[in-house]
Amino acid sequence: MNRRNFIRQAGTAGILAGSAATLATPAIAQENPKITWRMTSSFTKGLDILFGAAEIVAEHVREASNGNFVIQHFAGGEIVPALQAADAVSSGTVEMAHTCAYYYVGKDPTFALGTAVPFGLNARQTNAWFNQAGGNELLNEFLSGYNIHSILLGNTGAQMGGWFRKEINTIEDLKGLKMRIAGLTGQVMSKVGVTPQQIAGGDVYAALEKGTIDATEFVGPYDDQKLGFHKVAKYYYYPAWWEGGPAVHAFVNLEKWNSLPDNYKRILTDACAAGSASMLERYDARNPVALKELVAAGAILRPFSQEILDASYKAAQETYAEISASNPAFKKIYDSQQAFKKDAYLWAQIAEYSYDTFMMIQQRNGTL
């Protein structure tokens, strides 16, 4: 081979090699682009389990993407007020929010079904309905009208019924009571005489201390202890019949979600699953200890009376019938949850309930 031919062939090979490298680089960059999102929260940093679930998401996403997909997490009030998180996502002010759908029932009562409704699903049923029975698809069909895509990001488990300044025994005791309560429950509570108030978690203590409200519910012993409610209202009622297994969600701007590469969608979805599992596990681990400490500090535990439960259940059923009659989106999701719940309780009473009942008897007898 003469020198001129060798140089020509070598040059051609170099060009081809260079072209291959040039073609490969954009493909890799396209799969793993550098993206930075902002996620606002409806919770304060002091509520470490609620706020911490989204921290887990940000950490997992960063690590799984080798630092290419970064989610900056902000507490409620740092970018927008806590109860305006969904609006910020919908408008594109932020790419994400960690919030509860039922905070936005003022827009449409259907939002409540994304979190919890009175006498609704328990925690296991909620998670199963969302992830295995079409719940995610139904909620996202509804939320698409608000430019939002939702991903399950937490469940607190059954909550406590709240803190009251006075003992509540009858329906008469509820009449005229000003209570901080979220979601569709306020509408149900109104039917039994309560005046509902929607107040962000960080503002509840001051309202209760000043007497602006007479009662409040929040989550359960661990968070309630942190917020100090037992210092200003000693009667602690159970259960929160309005929140048997409330879901918390990551709301993502729908346009931003659709623009994500598929691998980033998978990373974010899996990260939310990790954060979601962590929330319920941490509450299950910490609530028992906190409850004992609250009682030791003077909290007085009381169950809601059968009269209150029966009247509230009737009011809830009336409310659902009224809304369903004029709101097809609500009816579609509510009917799906009801059908799922009926079958779920058939199974639960055979295995879970009978087992747990026996074991709780052993605990009460001191033989556990």
Side-chain angles (χ1 to χ4, degrees):
M1 181 181 295
N2 62 40
R3 181 174 178 273
R4 183 172 296 175
N5 287 340
F6 175 79
I7 291 172
R8 185 183 299 116
Q9 291 173 4
T12 301
I15 291 170
L16 291 173
S19 298
T22 304
L23 289 170
T25 302
I28 294 171
Q30 187 177 8
E31 290 176 5
N32 300 287
K34 291 279 187 181
I35 295 177
T36 299
W37 279 9
R38 296 191 303 170
M39 172 169 52
T40 190
S41 178
S42 289
F43 314 110
T44 63
K45 293 179 180 178
L47 298 171
D48 58 304
I49 297 181
L50 281 166
F51 189 81
E55 291 281 271
I56 290 170
V57 171
E59 179 184 341
H60 281 217
V61 167
R62 184 181 64 252
E63 291 180 358
S65 67
N66 293 318
N68 289 318
F69 188 4
V70 175
I71 298 174
Q72 299 171 339
H73 187 202
F74 297 89
E78 290 184 336
I79 299 178
V80 296
L83 300 183
Q84 293 178 21
D87 297 308
V89 172
S90 184
S91 66
T93 301
V94 295
E95 290 81 9
M96 283 184 68
H98 187 216
T99 189
C100 293
Y102 67 5
Y103 291 154
Y104 312 102
V105 293
K107 300 177 184 296
D108 189 311
T110 309
F111 274 94
L113 295 165
T115 301
V117 294
F119 304 101
L121 304 171
N122 66 23
R124 282 183 61 171
Q125 291 166 358
T126 295
N127 290 348
W129 177 77
F130 271 114
N131 292 326
Q132 303 296 329
N136 286 326
E137 291 76 14
L138 286 173
L139 183 60
N140 279 321
E141 178 185 353
F142 166 71
L143 290 176
S144 65
Y146 295 86
N147 196 31
I148 292 173
H149 175 81
S150 68
I151 308 171
L152 191 64
L153 179 47
N155 195 308
T156 68
Q159 296 189 1
M160 289 292 285
W163 300 88
F164 293 73
R165 288 180 172 276
K166 65 176 184 177
E167 200 164 356
I168 305 296
N169 295 310
T170 68
I171 287 295
E172 287 298 316
D173 294 332
L174 289 175
K175 291 182 178 178
L177 196 81
K178 292 177 292 185
M179 183 175 184
R180 181 269 182 190
I181 196 157
L184 197 60
T185 310
Q187 203 169 324
V188 175
M189 282 287 203
S190 295
K191 287 181 177 290
V192 294
V194 173
T195 303
Q197 310 286 315
Q198 184 153 304
I199 304 172
D203 302 324
V204 176
Y205 182 92
L208 194 61
E209 184 179 35
K210 293 174 183 176
T212 306
I213 55 176
D214 305 305
T216 186
E217 56 82 42
F218 194 66
V219 177
Y222 182 72
D223 284 340
D224 292 356
Q225 183 182 43
K226 280 176 168 288
L227 294 170
F229 295 143
H230 61 290
K231 299 174 184 176
V232 288
K234 65 180 180 179
Y235 292 102
Y236 199 20
Y237 277 83
Y238 64 90
W241 43 264
W242 52 89
E243 292 187 279
V248 189
H249 277 88
F251 278 4
V252 185
N253 178 275
L254 184 57
E255 294 170 4
K256 291 292 184 180
W257 169 258
N258 288 335
S259 70
L260 279 181
D262 287 344
N263 61 324
Y264 279 12
K265 288 180 180 177
R266 171 55 62 188
I267 287 171
L268 180 54
T269 301
D270 288 349
C272 286
S276 188
S278 172
M279 183 184 292
L280 189 55
E281 291 164 0
R282 293 178 73 190
Y283 275 123
D284 282 348
R286 289 162 177 75
N287 275 333
V289 175
L291 182 60
K292 289 191 289 186
E293 291 174 350
L294 284 168
V295 171
I300 301 173
L301 283 176
R302 290 285 187 271
F304 283 121
S305 67
Q306 192 65 42
E307 177 189 347
I308 289 174
L309 290 173
D310 288 342
S312 299
Y313 185 81
K314 181 184 178 190
Q317 304 314 304
E318 291 173 356
T319 300
Y320 302 142
E322 292 164 2
I323 298 172
S324 293
S326 60
N327 189 323
F330 181 93
K331 186 177 188 307
K332 184 176 183 179
I333 297 177
Y334 178 72
D335 286 352
S336 174
Q337 289 187 353
Q338 282 294 97
F340 184 84
K341 180 168 58 179
K342 288 176 182 177
D343 283 344
Y345 275 123
L346 282 175
W347 162 240
Q349 63 187 305
I350 297 299
E352 300 286 346
Y353 177 78
S354 57
Y355 174 75
D356 286 346
T357 299
F358 177 81
M359 294 305 294
M360 284 185 281
I361 291 171
Q362 307 315 306
Q363 190 268 344
R364 290 175 184 174
N365 290 341
T367 58
L368 189 63

